[in-house]
C-alpha cells in the first residue's frame, strides 16, 4: 500500500462542484486514470496524454470506461486563474489535483481518487498479469514495431518486435506500443471503424478491459 499511495496528494484542494446534484453521482465510484507522456520516468510535470474515467456502480458493480480526448479544449483549473487550453496540460500544470479539478468542473463530476502511470508503469502491470491476447492488422503490427523503438529507449525495457499479424500475444512493452497507435484504423468486431485519436483511445480501453479480465481471474497474491 505504501508503494502505491501518493503521500503528496492534497485532496483538500479538490474543489467540490456545488452547481450539480450529487445524488445520482453518489451511486457510483468514479476514478480518474492518467497515462503520462513521461520521457524520463517522472510522474509529475508532464502531460497526461491518456485520460479516462472509470465509473463503478456501487449497486451492480458494473464498470464503465470513458475516454477524455487529450486535445479537448477545456477550462483548466490548476489552483490559479482558470484558463483555456488542451485538457492534457492540466496534469502538467496542476498535478493530479489540478487535473481532477479540471475534470470535475468541466464534466460535472465529483472525482476524489486517481491512478497515474507512465510507460514503465503500464508495461510492468501488463507483464505482471502475463501479457494480453489481442488481434491486430498488418498495419498495426508495423506501428507497434515502430513505437517499440522509442518506447524501449524511454523505459529501458526490452521486447521483441511483433512478427505476425492476426491473433497475437503481446508483452507489456508491446501492448504499450499498441496503445500509442493513432495513424491506423481500428476495426471493431461490430464493424465500427475508429481513426485518429478515437482509435487510439479505443485501443487503450481494449487493453485496460483485457487487464481487468486477467486481474479477475488471477489470485490475490498475483493481483497484489
Amino acid at each position: 500500500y505504501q508503494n502505491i499511495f501518493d503521500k503528496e496528494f492534497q485532496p483538500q484542494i479538490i474543489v467540490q462542484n456545488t452547481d450539480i446534484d450529487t445524488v445520482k453521482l453518489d451511486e457510483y465510484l468514479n476514478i480518474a486514470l492518467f497515462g503520462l507522456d513521461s520521457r524520463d520516468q517522472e510522474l509529475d510535470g508532464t502531460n497526461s496524454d491518456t485520460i479516462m474515467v472509470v465509473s463503478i456502480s456501487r449497486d451492480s458493480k458494473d464498470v464503465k470506461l470513458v475516454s477524455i480526448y487529450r486535445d479537448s479544449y477545456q477550462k483548466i483549473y490548476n489552483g490559479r486563474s482558470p484558463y483555456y487550453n488542451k485538457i492534457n496540460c492540466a496534469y502538467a500544470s496542476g498535478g493530479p489535483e489540478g487535473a481532477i479539478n479540471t475534470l470535475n468542473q468541466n464534466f460535472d463530476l465529483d472525482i476524489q481518487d486517481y491512478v497515474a502511470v507512465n510507460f514503465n508503469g503500464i508495461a510492468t502491470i501488463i507483464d505482471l498479469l502475463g501479457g494480453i491476447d489481442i488481434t491486430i492488422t498488418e498495419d498495426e503490427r508495423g506501428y507497434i514495431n515502430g513505437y517499440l523503438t522509442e518506447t524501449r529507449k524511454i523505459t529501458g525495457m526490452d521486447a521483441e518486435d511483433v512478427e505476425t499479424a492476426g491473433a497475437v500475444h503481446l508483452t507489456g512493452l508491446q501492448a504499450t506500443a499498441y496503445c500509442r497507435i493513432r495513424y491506423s484504423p481500428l476495426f471493431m468486431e461490430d464493424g465500427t471503424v475508429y481513426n485518429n485519436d478515437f482509435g487510439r483511445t479505443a485501443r487503450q480501453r481494449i487493453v485496460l478491459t483485457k487487464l481487468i479480465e486477467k486481474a479477475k481471474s488471477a489470485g490475490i497474491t498475483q493481483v497484489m
Side-chain angles (χ1 to χ4, degrees):
Y1 180 76
Q2 293 304 317
N3 289 334
I4 64 172
F5 180 70
D6 182 0
K7 301 179 182 66
E8 303 196 2
F9 182 58
Q10 302 179 62
Q12 70 272 15
I13 69 171
I14 302 297
V15 179
Q16 294 296 315
N17 193 337
T18 58
D19 296 329
I20 60 173
D21 182 359
T22 61
V23 172
K24 189 66 176 177
L25 289 176
D26 289 341
E27 299 176 14
Y28 297 87
L29 171 62
N30 292 314
I31 304 170
L33 300 188
F34 301 110
L36 306 180
D37 187 26
S38 166
R39 302 310 169 105
D40 296 307
Q41 302 188 32
E42 70 272 22
L43 287 171
D44 54 16
T46 187
N47 289 338
S48 56
D49 278 358
T50 297
I51 305 170
M52 290 189 202
V53 176
V54 179
S55 187
I56 305 170
S57 169
R58 298 185 188 274
D59 180 29
S60 68
K61 310 306 179 187
D62 287 342
V63 179
K64 294 185 178 181
L65 305 177
V66 178
S67 295
I68 309 295
Y69 299 105
R70 68 171 192 173
D71 291 334
S72 300
Y73 207 65
Q74 302 291 336
K75 204 167 190 177
I76 307 300
Y77 293 84
N78 61 0
R80 299 183 291 276
S81 297
Y83 62 96
Y84 284 95
N85 205 334
K86 293 197 299 184
I87 196 168
N88 67 335
C89 81
Y91 195 103
S93 63
E97 298 90 351
I100 292 172
N101 275 329
T102 297
L103 290 173
N104 286 348
Q105 297 300 321
N106 283 284
F107 301 107
D108 291 342
L109 295 170
D110 64 343
I111 296 170
Q112 299 291 310
D113 302 298
Y114 81 100
V115 175
V117 294
N118 54 20
F119 293 121
N120 293 70
I122 190 64
T124 300
I125 291 168
I126 294 170
D127 279 339
L128 288 172
L129 286 170
I132 60 172
D133 297 317
I134 204 162
T135 300
I136 61 172
T137 65
E138 179 62 28
D139 201 26
E140 288 174 321
R141 185 184 75 86
Y143 277 110
I144 289 172
N145 292 339
Y147 279 120
L148 273 174
T149 300
E150 180 188 34
T151 311
R152 290 186 190 103
K153 294 178 181 178
I154 293 172
T155 62
M157 302 171 68
D158 196 17
E160 299 291 331
D161 282 353
V162 178
E163 298 295 335
T164 61
V168 296
H169 183 79
L170 299 182
T171 68
L173 206 63
Q174 291 168 342
T176 300
Y178 172 80
C179 286
R180 301 181 67 188
I181 299 173
R182 65 182 184 276
Y183 298 118
S184 179
L186 173 64
F187 300 94
M188 304 294 288
E189 291 182 357
D190 62 2
T192 305
V193 180
Y194 292 113
N195 291 287
N196 305 315
D197 204 32
F198 297 98
R200 177 167 56 180
T201 56
R203 289 181 178 94
Q204 294 165 358
R205 293 192 300 275
I206 289 171
V207 168
L208 190 56
T209 299
K210 288 183 176 292
L211 277 181
I212 292 171
E213 291 171 355
K214 294 291 287 284
K216 286 167 64 177
S217 63
I220 186 64
T221 302
Q222 186 180 9
V223 170
M224 292 301 291

